[in-house]
């Protein structure tokens, strides 16, 4: 039987690979963090920028709520263990 820590580790590996492939293709990658208010997400861009966004159904796109500065990006990467891809 596979224990939950093994499943979590494998899930992190797969999500990490998907994140890397997405960013390398030049597309942004959405990062969920339960510290953010409901409906808010981090959107990581291939150039390294990270913004806090919400989803707008009316325009079928993301709406930027806040842009993180370089210090905030570094702190977030450290906390969420997001290695730079660029």
């Amino acid at each position: 039987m596979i224990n939950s820590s093994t499943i979590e580790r494998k899930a992190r590996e797969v999500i990490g690979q998907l994140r890397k492939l997405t960013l390398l293709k030049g597309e942004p990658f959405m990062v969920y963090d339960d510290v953010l208010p409901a409906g808010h997400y981090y959107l990581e861009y291939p150039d390294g920028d990270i913004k806090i966004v919400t989803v707008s159904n009316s325009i079928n796109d993301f709406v930027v709520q806040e842009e993180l500065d370089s210090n905030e990006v570094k702190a977030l990467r450290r906390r969420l263990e997001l290695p730079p891809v660029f």
Side-chain angles (χ1 to χ4, degrees):
M1 181 174 195
I2 299 175
N3 62 32
S4 63
S5 64
T6 302
I7 293 171
E8 288 175 16
R9 183 182 51 76
K10 288 186 181 209
R12 281 185 182 270
E13 288 174 10
V14 169
I15 291 169
Q17 291 170 357
L18 177 61
R19 175 181 162 264
K20 183 177 180 178
L21 289 173
T22 300
L23 292 171
L24 289 174
K25 286 192 313 187
E27 299 173 6
F29 188 79
M30 182 183 287
V31 178
Y32 173 78
D33 186 0
D34 57 6
V35 172
L36 291 174
H40 288 67
Y41 308 93
Y42 291 112
L43 199 58
E44 181 180 18
Y45 292 87
D47 65 1
D49 287 344
I50 298 179
K51 300 176 183 178
I52 298 175
V53 299
T54 54
V55 178
S56 171
N57 292 329
S58 62
I59 62 172
N60 196 28
D61 203 355
F62 299 107
V63 177
V64 175
Q65 301 298 320
E66 182 182 342
E67 295 187 30
L68 278 61
D69 65 32
S70 61
N71 291 327
E72 292 171 318
V73 168
K74 287 177 189 174
L76 180 67
R77 287 188 189 290
R78 208 173 306 116
R79 184 171 64 80
L80 296 180
E81 300 177 15
L82 297 172
V85 175
F86 3 89

